[in-house]
Amino acid sequence: MSEDGTALFTIGELARATGLTVRTIRYWSDEGALPPVTRSTGGYRLYDAGSVARLELIRTLRELGLGLDDVRKVVSGEQDIASVAATHVAALDAQIRSLKVTRAVLSTVARRGSTAEEMTLMNKLARLSAAERGRIIDDFMEETFGGLDTADPDIRTRMRFGLSDLPEDPTPEQVDAWVEMAELMQDLGFRARMRKMIEFNAADRGPDVPAGTSLWFMSRLVQLAGEALEQGVTPESPEAEAVLNGLLGDADRAAVLDRMESAAHVEVARFRELTALVRGTEPLPAHREEFAWVVAALRHRVAR
């Protein structure tokens, strides 16, 4: 009993009242989170009713994952609970993000049957900082468009917009897509294929050709080929020639076929899908049937 008549408790009595172990209470006391109010004549630590309330607060904060240093600051009044909680939330967010990255990497490894070397690369790519991921994108854009000033600027704009960074709270699927997309952007063969596509575009455009013409051509292709498919016009039929004339005019069929085959490559199509997955949007329609119809019609005529 204290001088003012308040009941005092030993560590053992606190342990029995709260269900905590003596060892835990002693440790928290040693760390300064639960200082005794006084000591007995025999040197034992003694606590009062306020200590019991403080002990419950310490237990709650520890169960929420706060470190003892933060706990000590809260119970001593050095820092309010709200600010400590906000700091802890930020730390948890970072931990959750890291766990999502880990889960995505392991899921990809399991699905692909990856080697140890591939797993190391995927883990490295997934854990890059935002600045490092941005440099990969910038390097890819420069490798694809650098020096090709006559390329349609609308294509550059669309591609750069499509190459989004990971969102703040990415899903495992988005992390997985980013890893695959980053691998493609750093693959020399894929870079060369994308560069070739833009070189084709730059060679086709004169100084007076307005921006967006390339996209208009694609829209026109989808329209005309789609109508041919609806009407049952086969790529080998004489009627297909009229469709090609309406789309290409007197352009070199072999050159157009080369460009079409490059743009329709499976890796290019996959790249478009990945960019949409990272952005969290639905992929744009690929119009594979329309492109395949035009490619087949061109091959039939170029081969003759």
Side-chain angles (χ1 to χ4, degrees):
M1 186 79 66
S2 66
E3 293 180 0
D4 61 2
T6 303
L8 295 176
F9 309 94
T10 64
I11 286 181
E13 290 170 332
L14 281 181
R16 287 190 292 274
T18 61
L20 293 164
T21 66
V22 170
R23 183 176 182 178
T24 297
I25 298 174
R26 183 178 290 115
Y27 173 65
W28 290 350
S29 184
D30 290 342
E31 292 297 313
L34 186 72
V37 296
T38 188
R39 286 184 179 266
S40 70
T41 55
Y44 292 103
R45 285 175 276 203
L46 298 174
Y47 304 87
D48 60 10
S51 301
V52 177
R54 175 180 284 198
L55 186 57
E56 290 297 340
L57 175 59
I58 294 170
R59 172 158 60 180
T60 299
L61 294 174
R62 291 292 287 160
E63 287 175 350
L64 289 172
L66 270 69
L68 268 180
D69 188 51
D70 284 330
V71 169
R72 181 187 56 76
K73 291 177 181 178
V74 169
V75 297
S76 67
E78 293 179 40
Q79 201 166 356
D80 62 274
I81 292 179
S83 61
V84 171
T87 301
H88 198 57
V89 166
L92 285 174
D93 285 342
Q95 187 178 8
I96 290 169
R97 182 184 176 92
S98 178
L99 287 172
K100 286 183 175 181
V101 169
T102 300
R103 182 185 186 280
V105 170
L106 291 175
S107 296
T108 302
V109 169
R111 188 181 68 253
R112 295 185 184 180
S114 303
T115 64
E117 291 77 9
E118 289 172 331
M119 181 178 67
T120 300
L121 174 61
M122 281 187 285
N123 189 49
K124 180 180 178 181
L125 288 174
R127 295 184 186 279
L128 292 175
S129 68
E132 290 168 330
R133 291 194 297 268
R135 279 194 292 272
I136 289 177
I137 293 174
D138 290 342
D139 288 347
F140 174 74
M141 290 294 295
E142 177 59 27
E143 186 78 14
T144 303
F145 289 92
L148 300 177
D149 297 333
T150 58
D152 193 329
D154 277 12
I155 294 180
R156 178 193 290 266
T157 300
R158 281 201 174 196
M159 186 178 294
R160 187 62 186 85
F161 174 76
L163 292 175
S164 302
D165 192 9
L166 281 170
E168 284 298 315
D169 186 22
T171 64
E173 292 75 21
Q174 285 174 311
V175 175
D176 192 8
W178 162 257
V179 169
E180 189 176 344
M181 188 176 77
E183 288 176 319
L184 271 177
M185 284 191 290
Q186 296 177 96
D187 181 81
L188 296 180
F190 181 71
R191 284 189 171 200
R193 182 169 294 111
M194 295 297 287
R195 175 75 178 189
K196 182 179 180 182
M197 285 173 50
I198 304 305
E199 286 174 344
F200 283 153
N201 180 264
D204 289 341
R205 293 184 75 248
D208 300 325
V209 177
T213 301
S214 304
L215 301 177
W216 175 88
F217 171 78
M218 293 301 178
S219 298
R220 180 73 170 158
L221 181 152
V222 170
Q223 176 193 347
L224 294 179
E227 292 173 354
L229 285 166
E230 289 179 2
Q231 296 166 11
V233 177
T234 63
E236 301 79 16
S237 67
E239 292 82 1
E241 184 64 30
V243 178
L244 292 179
N245 286 336
L247 177 65
L248 305 175
D250 59 357
D252 184 339
R253 300 290 198 266
V256 174
L257 176 60
D258 197 9
R259 289 155 172 72
M260 292 285 296
E261 289 179 327
S262 178
H265 193 277
V266 64
E267 277 189 338
V268 177
R270 179 58 179 164
F271 187 66
R272 296 191 188 102
E273 293 175 356
L274 292 171
T275 58
L277 285 171
V278 173
R279 290 198 312 273
T281 61
E282 288 295 324
L284 293 174
H287 299 293
R288 288 187 175 87
E289 291 184 358
E290 291 87 346
F291 276 85
W293 188 94
V294 174
V295 168
L298 287 170
R299 284 175 178 164
H300 180 71
R301 284 149 184 82
V302 170
R304 288 185 302 184

